[in-house]
C-alpha cells in the first residue's frame, strides 16, 4: 500500500508565495518521477511540474520562472515552491508519482489534493 500526502496549501494574496510538500509512504521499493498537477473549477486537470530521480525538471509554460520543483529522495518527498502567485493559479494541486512497490510493479499514484487559492 502506498500513500501520497500533500500539505502546504492555503489562501495567499496575488504576488505571494506558498510551498507545497508531498510525502510518499508505504511499501516502496523505488520512486521514478514525482510531480504536480492542478485542477481549477470547471477545468480539466493539467500538468504543472515534474522531477526525475536524477533531478531533471520540466514545467508547464504557465508556471516557468515562478514555480520550482525539488525533491528529497531520502525522505521520498517532493516540493513545489510557488512564487509570484496569480489568481489563475487557484486550483486543487495534486501530487503524482510513479512508484515501484515491494510486492507489485510500477504504479501511478495520486495524492488527495490540496487547495491553493490566490485572492486579495
Amino acid at each position: 500500500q502506498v500513500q501520497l500526502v500533500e500539505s502546504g496549501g492555503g489562501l495567499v494574496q496575488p504576488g505571494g508565495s506558498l510551498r507545497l510538500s508531498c510525502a510518499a509512504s508505504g511499501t516502496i521499493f523505488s520512486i521514478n518521477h514525482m510531480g504536480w498537477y492542478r485542477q481549477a473549477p470547471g477545468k480539466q486537470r493539467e500538468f504543472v511540474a515534474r522531477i526525475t530521480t536524477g533531478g531533471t525538471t520540466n514545467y508547464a509554460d504557465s508556471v516557468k520562472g515562478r514555480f520550482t520543483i525539488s525533491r528529497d529522495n531520502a525522505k521520498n518527498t517532493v516540493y513545489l515552491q510557488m512564487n509570484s502567485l496569480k489568481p489563475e493559479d487557484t486550483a486543487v494541486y495534486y501530487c503524482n508519482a510513479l512508484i515501484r512497490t515491494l510486492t507489485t510493479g510500477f504504479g501511478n499514484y495520486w495524492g488527495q489534493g490540496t487547495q491553493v487559492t490566490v485572492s486579495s
Side-chain angles (χ1 to χ4, degrees):
Q1 192 81 356
V2 172
Q3 282 189 319
L4 299 179
V5 178
E6 300 114 332
S7 61
L11 173 65
V12 64
Q13 292 187 341
S17 298
L18 280 176
R19 188 192 194 211
L20 305 183
S21 300
C22 171
S25 62
T27 55
I28 296 171
F29 179 77
S30 63
I31 301 178
N32 197 325
H33 64 256
M34 302 184 81
W36 294 92
Y37 288 72
R38 67 186 181 186
Q39 187 167 17
K43 295 187 177 181
Q44 290 188 332
R45 190 174 297 188
E46 63 176 7
F47 167 78
V48 175
R50 181 186 295 118
I51 185 167
T52 67
T53 305
T56 300
T57 60
N58 60 304
Y59 298 91
D61 288 342
S62 59
V63 306
K64 280 181 182 176
R66 300 187 299 120
F67 291 10
T68 302
I69 189 170
S70 61
R71 66 189 282 177
D72 184 332
N73 291 330
K75 296 181 178 180
N76 291 337
T77 299
V78 63
Y79 307 96
L80 186 67
Q81 178 67 44
M82 304 184 294
N83 299 328
S84 303
L85 283 161
K86 305 175 181 179
E88 50 265 43
D89 294 317
T90 296
V92 178
Y93 283 69
Y94 295 92
C95 176
N96 171 259
L98 184 63
I99 297 174
R100 182 181 178 187
T101 72
L102 295 174
T103 56
T104 65
F106 280 102
N108 193 36
Y109 294 88
W110 293 91
Q112 80 287 354
T114 185
Q115 177 71 46
V116 171
T117 303
V118 185
S119 175
S120 55

